[in-house]
């Protein structure tokens, strides 16, 4: 036959033994007997106070336990409800912000598309073909610096040409004993002058 289950008293004794071993319990019992023998009045008062205070202390402990359980339960419920409200608020705020940002961007785009330029400002919508033509024209036309350099170069060439023409003028016949050879030299100089003029005219084009 299986052994009978332990009685409630035996279970309580086992619990006490697990909390307070028997040597410790015996030592405390001996100390209590010695104290009650030495101080009987004080020991009897402390015993009665402990007996009458057990019930209120147990009630306080039970009340605190129940209150803590209820507090934790309602705290969890409040956090759950609050998290739902916070998620809804975040979704509503995000949607509203995206809506207003889209409206502002759309309004700017429409204004830039249809607004007329003011005070000499360029239009918002740029004609691509016109811009391309202007860029090509700027590339074909020389810059002011290059034009100035070309003008200075042409002036230098013209000055050199005048100097050479003045030096190559044929002298008067019979002057300084120069004859037909001076005439041939003057013709060559005139040909060179014409050639230089053609080169200058070609460079100016």
């Amino acid at each position: 036959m299986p052994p009978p289950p332990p009685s409630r008293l035996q279970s309580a004794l086992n619990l006490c033994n697990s909390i307070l071993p028997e040597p410790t319990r015996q030592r405390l019992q001996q100390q209590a007997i010695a104290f009650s023998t030495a101080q009987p009045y004080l020991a009897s008062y402390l015993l009665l106070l402990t007996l009458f205070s057990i019930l209120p202390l147990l009630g306080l402990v039970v009340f605190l336990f129940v209150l803590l359980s209820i507090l934790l339960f309602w705290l969890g419920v409040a956090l759950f409800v609050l998290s739902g409200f916070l998620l809804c608020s975040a979704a509503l705020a995000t949607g509203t912000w995206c809506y207003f940002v889209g409206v502002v961007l759309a309004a700017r785009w429409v204004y830039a598309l249809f607004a007329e330029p003011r005070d000499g400002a360029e239009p918002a919508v740029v004609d691509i073909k016109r811009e391309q033509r202007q860029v090509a024209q700027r590339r074909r036309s020389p810059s002011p610096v290059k034009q100035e350099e070309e003008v200075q170069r042409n002036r230098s060439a013209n000055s050199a040409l005048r100097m050479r023409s003045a030096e190559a003028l044929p002298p008067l016949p019979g002057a300084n004993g120069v004859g037909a050879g001076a005439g041939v030299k003057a013709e060559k100089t005139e040909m060179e002058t014409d050639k230089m003029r053609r080169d200058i005219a070609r460079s100016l084009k």
Side-chain angles (χ1 to χ4, degrees):
M1 292 179 64
S7 62
R8 294 182 178 178
L9 180 59
Q10 188 64 31
S11 300
L13 291 177
N14 293 333
L15 181 61
C16 290
N17 290 330
S18 62
I19 296 175
L20 291 175
E22 186 174 356
T24 305
R25 191 168 60 250
Q26 290 179 358
R27 187 176 67 254
L28 292 176
Q29 185 177 0
Q30 291 176 0
Q31 290 178 358
I33 292 173
F35 177 76
S36 62
T37 303
Q39 301 288 339
Y41 297 104
L42 183 59
S44 60
Y45 175 75
L46 293 177
L47 179 61
L48 292 176
L49 181 61
T50 303
L51 291 176
F52 285 112
S53 301
I54 287 177
L55 187 61
L57 291 176
L58 289 177
L60 178 62
V61 170
V62 172
F63 175 75
L64 291 177
F65 178 77
V66 173
L67 182 63
L68 183 62
S69 302
I70 294 174
L71 180 63
L72 292 177
F73 171 75
W74 285 111
L75 182 62
V77 172
L79 289 177
F80 178 76
V81 175
L82 181 61
S83 62
F85 277 108
L86 289 178
L87 288 176
C88 294
S89 301
L92 183 62
T94 304
T96 305
W97 181 79
C98 293
Y99 171 76
F100 281 112
V101 169
V103 169
V104 170
L105 294 178
R108 287 184 178 179
W109 180 77
V110 172
Y111 178 78
L113 186 63
F114 295 103
E116 296 180 355
R118 298 178 179 177
D119 299 330
E122 295 182 358
V125 179
V126 180
D127 190 355
I128 299 177
K129 293 184 178 180
R130 185 180 62 185
E131 187 69 19
Q132 291 178 353
R133 288 196 301 268
Q134 292 178 357
V135 171
Q137 186 177 2
R138 285 196 297 268
R139 289 179 179 177
R140 287 195 301 267
S141 61
S143 62
V145 177
K146 292 184 178 180
Q147 290 180 355
E148 186 67 24
E149 291 178 355
E150 189 69 24
V151 170
Q152 293 292 338
R153 191 163 49 250
N154 293 333
R155 289 178 179 175
S156 300
N158 291 331
S159 299
L161 181 60
R162 292 193 189 97
M163 292 176 64
R164 295 186 61 180
S165 299
E167 291 177 357
L169 286 175
L172 294 175
N176 297 328
V178 180
V184 174
K185 185 177 180 181
E187 291 179 0
K188 291 182 179 180
T189 304
E190 187 175 358
M191 292 174 62
E192 292 177 359
T193 303
D194 294 337
K195 184 178 179 181
M196 291 181 66
R197 289 177 179 174
R198 287 196 299 271
D199 294 339
I200 292 172
R202 193 180 300 110
S203 64
L204 291 176
K205 291 180 180 180

